[in-house]
Amino acid sequence: MAKFSNRKAGTIVKIIRKIPVKQVITEKSKQELSEQFNHNRQQLEQECQQLQFEQRKLQNKKGVSRQEVANRFQKEITKRRDKIKWIEFQVEQLSILPVGSEITEGEVESLVEVEEGYNWDSLVDDKAIIVKDGTVIQIK
């Protein structure tokens, strides 16, 4: 961290800062991501089938509004179908992504000490953790 040399002693404040975790795409990571996407898609499709089954079961009960049941279940099924479409888009994008590309996989929080005289720009500039095949290869 850059500091001014003529700073006076002051209070140290700790702040939490989000740092992106980026993954370098390799053939291995492409395969793993593809399998993960397919697993998630299958899980969502099973949930849709289960919701349709539960919907039919509830609609056959007496004293239950068929329309209310249909609306409630359709809302949940639509949510899952939208997630399936998003996964299909991600699979398509993954297939055209060249090996060596970086994708943002998530974020982690980092504790940073700030004190009077610190160079704020150096605290907030782009930092990232770069991962390749499960191993951290760089911390910028």
Side-chain angles (χ1 to χ4, degrees), residues 115-126:
E115 187 175 0
E116 286 181 23
Y118 274 27
N119 182 332
W120 181 255
D121 291 336
S122 72
L123 290 173
V124 295
D125 66 357
D126 289 337

Side-chain angles (χ1 to χ4, degrees), residues 120-138:
W120 181 255
D121 291 336
S122 72
L123 290 173
V124 295
D125 66 357
D126 289 337
K127 303 221 182 302
I129 297 171
I130 311 298
V131 179
K132 184 176 184 179
D133 290 333
T135 302
V136 174
I137 60 168
Q138 185 179 9

Side-chain angles (χ1 to χ4, degrees), residues 40-93:
N40 291 345
R41 185 177 46 77
Q42 288 173 348
Q43 179 69 33
L44 289 165
E45 287 172 353
Q46 286 176 348
E47 288 176 20
C48 286
Q49 290 172 359
Q50 183 64 32
L51 285 166
Q52 289 169 337
F53 174 77
E54 293 294 329
Q55 178 182 355
R56 285 190 299 272
K57 224 166 80 170
L58 268 177
Q59 284 181 329
N60 291 329
K61 282 192 173 183
K62 291 186 182 203
V64 176
S65 165
R66 290 177 66 89
Q67 189 60 41
E68 189 177 312
V69 168
N71 289 343
R72 192 174 61 182
F73 276 89
Q74 199 54 50
K75 187 176 176 183
E76 290 301 318
I77 291 169
T78 300
K79 279 185 198 177
R80 284 158 180 81
R81 295 230 185 272
D82 289 344
K83 287 179 184 178
I84 289 170
K85 286 178 187 171
W86 173 244
I87 288 171
E88 288 169 350
F89 173 75
Q90 288 177 306
V91 167
E92 182 182 311
Q93 294 301 303

Side-chain angles (χ1 to χ4, degrees), residues 15-21 106-112 129:
I15 61 172
I16 295 173
R17 161 177 190 185
K18 293 184 186 273
I19 299 177
V21 177
E107 285 184 331
V108 294
E109 292 182 342
S110 171
L111 197 56
V112 179
I129 297 171

